[in-house]
Amino acid sequence: MAMIYDMEHNDGYLYIKYPMGNKTGSTMKNAGFTSGIILILLMGILTLYCCYRVVKSRKMIPLLDTSNWEFPDVCKYYFGSFGQWSSLLFSMVSLVGAMVVYWVLMSNFLFNTGKFIYNFVHDVNVTDIVPGTNGSNKVICPSAASSHPPQNRSVMFSSGNDTGFELFEKWWNKSQTVPFYLVAILLPLLNLKSPSFFAKFNVLGTVSVVYLVLLVTVKAARLGIHLEYNWFTENDFFVPEFRIQFPQLTGVLTLAFFIHNCVITLLQNNRNQENNVRDLSIAYFLVGLTYLYVGVIIFASFPSPPLSKECIEQNFLDNFPSDDIMSFVARIFLLFQMMTVYPLLGYLARVQLLRQFFGNAYPSIFHVLILNIAIVGAGVAMAIFYPNIGGIIRYSGATCGLAFVFVYPSLIYLISQHHAGRLTGPALIIHIFIILLGLANLIAQFLL
């Protein structure tokens, strides 16, 4: 999933907590192992630099008090109403895109958690009918069982009570019923005026990260390392070190490292403003290190042979059997964490959109309800018809990233330097190149 940054200010220090994305292993197979490592490093550096340009953008405006400005205000100053409304549009793309991904993942986690509990309570004999390894450390390949997207189906298993099991399967379906059950829980929470209650659960982000890193480490220690280096040729079990589908990884990483639309807000209350760049760099380093570690370990330890690296799922927890205890605990952690973060994302979307149109973040319960129904409806629709978290992340990431990561920070820097008479040829070339990279990144998502 895409990374959501959460920076808390306390006693003048900046503490960084982040839920970890679990897509790096899957997208690394699309780029190739070596290319994936290089791209994670390069995208982390590039997005950090562009985020640095966003942080500095207010200070480059002369003769005006910009202390209370957000980045959309900076865009409005330089690009007029077009900058104001386009920045709002792309910011909403990033927020709603993240919320849709959360809904798909929550449906997945709730479905598998419910299935595990049902199996345990009814003493169901679980039988996975998909290819997998043997032994106590079993890994499965759900995507090999059918030509459908891996998250559009569930692993089948048998039960001694056929009638009860069939009834359970009917009412506990990953794409047809479970996404609707979440509506009853989350839609009322989205309508609350203040999400401060849920902010108290942000510590779950840290706990989830620590546990997932532990899970990946333990599984890798048991499975061992399975790598074979071929730069351009592939076989039945391994993928090349470089693949032409690598833009799929850059699209995911654009949203994974995306914080540009709210970084000024997050850093604004930091008591030691002179440490903003340092704190931002630490945040990117920790997040990049987590992505790199998890992606490398998942890819390297995936048992090939007997399974192909192509079997790595978009949500790597789906590569473990439905009765795997560690995966069950991970899903519980992530489900509860996402259910507390989701209302916070909805609050950000509400504040940005309704305040822009009505001058008030909560004009009435009717306005808020209509907005939340639309956002929840998008999540439910995607969970039913397109539960492809990789596609959602890379399309929304490349789209909002084009504006907030690549174009606006670079153009604002070039314009401000030109007005100050300090624009140099190398700076012009470098920032135009960054803009072209963002454009190529977006176009490539629709070609590959």
Side-chain angles (χ1 to χ4, degrees):
M1 68 183 172
M3 179 186 68
I4 303 300
Y5 294 77
D6 178 24
M7 301 183 181
E8 286 192 314
H9 303 92
N10 186 15
D11 300 328
Y13 295 95
L14 186 66
Y15 299 94
I16 302 102
K17 297 185 289 189
Y18 46 90
M20 177 186 57
N22 57 8
K23 270 233 11 104
T24 46
S26 170
T27 48
M28 187 170 283
K29 76 180 182 184
N30 296 324
F33 183 63
T34 302
S35 299
I37 294 174
I38 295 173
L39 286 173
I40 291 175
L41 294 173
L42 292 179
M43 286 296 293
I45 295 171
L46 179 58
T47 51
L48 171 59
Y49 172 74
C50 293
C51 200
Y52 165 78
R53 292 263 63 98
V54 172
V55 172
K56 294 295 184 180
S57 61
R58 293 186 305 173
K59 297 182 179 179
M60 295 186 294
I61 299 176
L63 306 177
L64 289 176
D65 180 14
T66 60
S67 58
N68 295 321
W69 284 25
E70 307 289 346
F71 190 58
D73 297 317
V74 178
C75 293
K76 181 180 180 181
Y77 173 83
Y78 282 101
F79 308 116
S81 59
F82 172 80
Q84 177 186 6
W85 293 105
S86 62
S87 62
L88 173 65
L89 172 64
F90 288 115
S91 182
M92 290 301 297
V93 168
S94 67
L95 288 171
V96 175
M99 294 180 74
V100 167
V101 171
Y102 266 46
W103 201 276
V104 175
L105 286 172
M106 287 188 294
S107 299
N108 179 297
F109 295 148
L110 181 60
F111 169 78
N112 284 286
T113 300
K115 186 169 69 171
F116 181 95
I117 295 173
Y118 179 89
N119 295 345
F120 181 81
V121 170
H122 294 85
D123 196 24
V124 173
N125 180 26
V126 178
T127 304
D128 295 304
I129 61 169
V130 295
T133 60
N134 298 318
S136 58
N137 300 309
K138 189 171 183 180
V139 177
I140 60 176
C141 182
S143 57
S146 72
S147 59
H148 298 291
Q151 285 163 298
N152 201 31
R153 50 171 303 282
S154 61
V155 177
M156 299 293 293
F157 54 92
S158 62
S159 169
N161 185 349
D162 292 338
T163 303
F165 173 69
E166 290 175 359
L167 188 63
F168 172 75
E169 274 205 321
K170 177 182 178 181
W171 293 103
W172 197 257
N173 184 284
K174 183 188 294 187
S175 60
Q176 300 302 319
T177 60
V178 172
F180 290 99
Y181 297 154
L182 287 170
V183 176
I185 303 172
L186 293 174
L187 184 58
L189 299 180
L190 285 175
N191 295 318
L192 297 178
K193 279 192 174 183
S194 173
S196 57
F197 171 76
F198 302 103
K200 299 177 182 178
F201 294 94
N202 281 343
V203 69
L204 289 174
T206 302
V207 174
S208 299
V209 169
V210 172
Y211 182 79
L212 283 176
V213 170
L214 176 65
L215 181 150
V216 169
T217 304
V218 170
K219 293 292 186 182
R222 293 175 178 175
L223 294 170
I225 302 300
H226 305 268
L227 289 174
E228 180 178 297
Y229 294 93
N230 297 301
W231 276 102
F232 301 105
T233 59
E234 58 183 304
N235 54 42
D236 292 337
F237 301 107
F238 297 94
V239 298
E241 298 303 297
F242 173 82
R243 304 185 78 180
I244 196 65
Q245 298 99 322
F246 72 89
Q248 295 183 16
L249 176 57
T250 61
V252 168
L253 290 173
T254 304
L255 190 60
F257 286 113
F258 185 76
I259 192 179
H260 302 64
N261 62 332
C262 57
V263 65
I264 292 178
T265 304
L266 293 175
L267 293 172
Q268 201 165 27
N269 295 323
N270 193 6
R271 181 178 301 173
N272 300 316
Q273 288 291 308
E274 67 276 8
N275 294 332
N276 282 349
V277 175
R278 182 205 65 183
D279 295 337
L280 186 66
S281 301
I282 292 174
Y284 266 86
F285 173 77
L286 292 175
V287 171
L289 183 65
T290 306
Y291 284 156
L292 194 60
Y293 178 82
V294 173
V296 167
I297 294 299
I298 291 174
F299 186 91
S301 64
F302 194 81
S304 302
L307 301 178
S308 169
K309 296 291 186 185
E310 294 285 1
C311 287
I312 301 177
E313 297 293 298
Q314 294 183 2
N315 174 6
F316 79 91
L317 294 175
D318 289 340
N319 280 119
F320 301 111
S322 53
D323 59 347
D324 186 87
I325 298 294
M326 290 193 71
S327 299
F328 167 72
V329 174
R331 290 187 178 104
I332 290 289
F333 272 126
L334 290 169
L335 177 61
F336 191 65
Q337 177 214 348
M338 288 184 173
M339 291 179 68
T340 59
V341 173
Y342 189 85
L344 297 176
L345 294 176
Y347 175 76
L348 291 175
R350 182 209 312 167
V351 168
Q352 291 195 14
L353 188 65
L354 297 187
R355 184 172 289 173
Q356 194 70 243
F357 280 97
F358 302 102
N360 188 340
Y362 205 99
S364 72
I365 183 62
F366 175 76
H367 292 84
V368 173
L369 184 61
I370 293 297
L371 173 63
N372 291 334
I373 288 175
I375 294 176
V376 168
V380 172
M382 285 296 186
I384 295 174
F385 300 109
Y386 189 70
N388 185 332
I389 58 174
I392 300 170
I393 292 173
R394 67 189 184 93
Y395 289 130
S396 59
T399 301
C400 65
L402 174 64
F404 276 106
V405 178
F406 300 104
V407 175
Y408 288 159
S410 297
L411 281 182
I412 288 172
Y413 175 74
L414 292 177
I415 294 173
S416 64
Q417 292 299 99
H418 174 70
H419 289 167
R422 295 193 298 264
L423 182 60
T424 63
L428 179 64
I429 294 173
I430 290 172
H431 288 85
I432 289 178
F433 181 67
I434 291 175
I435 294 173
L436 293 177
L437 282 178
L439 183 61
N441 183 43
L442 177 60
I443 295 174
Q445 305 309 316
F446 299 93
L447 300 179
L448 298 174

